[in-house]
Amino acid sequence: MYLPTCNLRPAFPATALLVLLSVLLCSANVMAQVSTGIAELDAPFTQFIEGRGSARTEALDTIAALERDDTRELLTGILSGDLMLHKPTGTVVRATRQGREYLMQSLDGSEELGSDSTRKLARLKVTNKMRSYLRNLIAGLGLRSANPQHRLAAINALMDTPDQLADETLVELLGSETVPAVRKALSALQARKQAVSDQP
């Protein structure tokens, strides 16, 4: 009995499947670009929002190192949840909740962006570990400034809450400080930190 043979071909040749798989893998590693309306902040905010692990803390370090006038405000906004991602546009905005909507402002606060429903905005993901890192980063702003007066002001700002600064950071700063007045202030901060930690 004669049985006709079927010339079966795979729907996708093996090479095509390999190419498709490569494209998908590459796409998974490409970060969706986030917009902030401020050119120098686009890349670090994209890295913070789309990145993972140490890439996210590196992004925060980059933002802090820019030494913008609003650096503290930006980092505090991430920590508090006041900065959010407007999902339809991929834009980081300042958001204030009003009923079932959020009122939006541009990141630098110069422009009103209208409002949108709560489901269209997302808080920037901050884990407990990241919260601790952010608090320490915010506390340390100005401590590494090239201007001794800025360093001194940052130290004085920490006197009421010295526990916000990590012990290892304080030791590092003491070891590298060369200005006597600033070094004296750091020593006072260290003593204050010790006194607070000794309290029951």
Side-chain angles (χ1 to χ4, degrees):
M1 180 178 178
Y2 172 73
L3 294 175
T5 58
C6 295
N7 186 15
L8 297 176
R9 293 183 180 180
F12 291 95
T15 52
L17 285 173
L18 288 174
V19 170
L20 179 60
L21 182 59
S22 298
V23 170
L24 290 174
L25 288 173
C26 289
S27 298
N29 291 325
V30 175
M31 293 183 181
Q33 184 66 34
V34 170
S35 173
T36 63
I38 303 169
E40 66 180 352
L41 292 176
D42 285 349
F45 267 93
T46 296
Q47 184 174 337
F48 178 73
I49 293 169
E50 300 290 340
R52 295 181 180 180
S54 61
R56 304 188 74 223
T57 54
E58 288 170 7
L60 294 176
D61 289 339
T62 299
I63 294 170
L66 292 174
E67 295 190 347
R68 294 171 51 88
D69 291 340
D70 60 353
T71 296
R72 182 181 297 275
E73 192 176 355
L74 291 172
L75 294 175
T76 301
I78 294 173
L79 180 62
S80 66
D82 291 338
L83 298 189
M84 303 183 75
L85 180 68
H86 185 233
K87 293 185 284 187
T89 61
T91 304
V92 179
V93 299
R94 297 181 184 277
T96 305
R97 186 157 187 169
Q98 191 172 69
R100 296 183 178 180
E101 293 187 329
Y102 278 105
L103 299 179
M104 300 181 295
Q105 279 186 322
S106 59
L107 202 58
D108 62 5
S110 65
E111 185 180 357
E112 299 293 335
L113 302 176
S115 62
D116 212 337
S117 64
T118 55
R119 62 187 177 84
K120 291 186 178 179
L121 285 101
R123 294 186 185 278
L124 308 187
K125 183 180 178 182
V126 179
T127 62
N128 288 335
K129 184 177 180 180
M130 189 71 69
R131 290 181 196 282
S132 177
Y133 190 87
L134 267 166
R135 290 191 183 101
N136 189 48
L137 194 60
I138 292 167
L141 288 176
L143 291 175
R144 291 183 171 83
S145 171
N147 187 323
Q149 293 303 317
H150 291 175
R151 298 200 298 277
L152 198 56
I155 294 167
N156 290 332
L158 284 168
M159 284 298 181
D160 289 335
T161 54
D163 55 319
Q164 288 188 352
L165 190 64
D167 289 334
E168 55 269 24
T169 301
L170 186 50
V171 170
E172 176 194 343
L173 292 169
L174 273 166
S176 61
E177 185 55 63
T178 58
V179 177
V182 179
R183 185 172 177 79
K184 182 178 179 180
L186 281 169
S187 296
L189 180 62
Q190 188 178 47
R192 172 67 177 155
K193 183 176 173 63
Q194 184 62 49
V196 169
S197 65
D198 287 343
Q199 291 178 359

